[in-house]
Amino acid sequence: MTMEPATEVAKLDLARLFTSFAGRIRRQHFWIGFVILILVNIVASLMPKFIGAVLTFVLMWPMAALYIKRGHDMGKPDSFSYIPIGLALINAVVSTFWKLLYEDGYKAATASGDTSAIFSGPGSDLMMISMALSLVGLIFLIWAWSHGR
């Protein structure tokens, strides 16, 4: 009878973490994956408009895989994960519209020093909606998954 070392349990397989919807993941692996996705999203926001927008939507798959597997670990149904996934999808649409429609005006207003133009108009409203959705999603994650194992 051979026993596998304890380190085998703690191994993190990034390919399975971000592509598979089956199975469970540990809390630590969830948060590592979450931070990786945030960092990749930050890089995507710095890319040119179209590439960043496409990358934002491509990242929805690994995010959904991450949330659903963590939900499995806590004994929650897949539908429980639809709330943060839906909020993230709406946020991605709002952020993409802002990036494609208003980013150039924001940069011009920032460069000219006209701070009143930065916080007026529909572009600032979209950014406020995006920030609010991000905050609600993060609060939901912390609340929902702090009650799990």
Side-chain angles (χ1 to χ4, degrees):
M1 181 168 142
T2 61
M3 295 182 64
E4 293 186 26
T7 57
E8 290 297 317
V9 175
K11 256 188 182 175
L12 177 61
D13 180 10
L14 290 176
R16 189 183 79 73
L17 183 70
F18 292 128
T19 58
S20 169
F21 289 90
R24 301 169 169 229
I25 57 173
R26 300 171 62 196
R27 184 181 304 164
Q28 179 185 18
H29 293 174
F30 169 80
W31 286 111
I32 289 170
F34 188 76
V35 168
I36 289 171
L37 287 176
I38 286 176
L39 294 175
V40 173
N41 268 311
I42 290 170
V43 170
S45 71
L46 300 174
M47 292 184 166
K49 291 180 182 182
F50 183 73
I51 296 169
V54 169
L55 189 55
T56 298
F57 285 101
V58 168
L59 290 172
M60 295 300 294
W61 182 276
M63 185 211 54
L66 194 67
Y67 289 174
I68 288 174
K69 278 191 295 226
R70 183 64 187 142
H72 289 170
D73 188 49
M74 296 172 39
K76 306 278 187 203
D78 289 352
S79 58
F80 190 76
S81 299
Y82 295 163
I83 295 169
I85 292 168
L87 287 172
L89 182 60
I90 293 168
N91 191 15
V93 170
V94 168
S95 298
T96 301
F97 277 131
W98 182 85
K99 190 169 187 75
L100 295 175
L101 300 176
Y102 300 107
E103 183 180 36
D104 293 336
Y106 176 80
K107 286 181 180 177
T110 305
S112 70
D114 183 14
T115 56
S116 64
I118 295 171
F119 298 108
S120 63
S124 63
D125 296 340
L126 285 176
M127 283 311 297
M128 293 302 288
I129 291 169
S130 178
M131 287 189 275
L133 286 170
S134 297
L135 184 62
V136 168
L138 184 61
I139 290 170
F140 178 81
L141 282 175
I142 292 170
W143 169 79
W145 289 323
S146 67
H147 292 50
R149 296 186 257 176

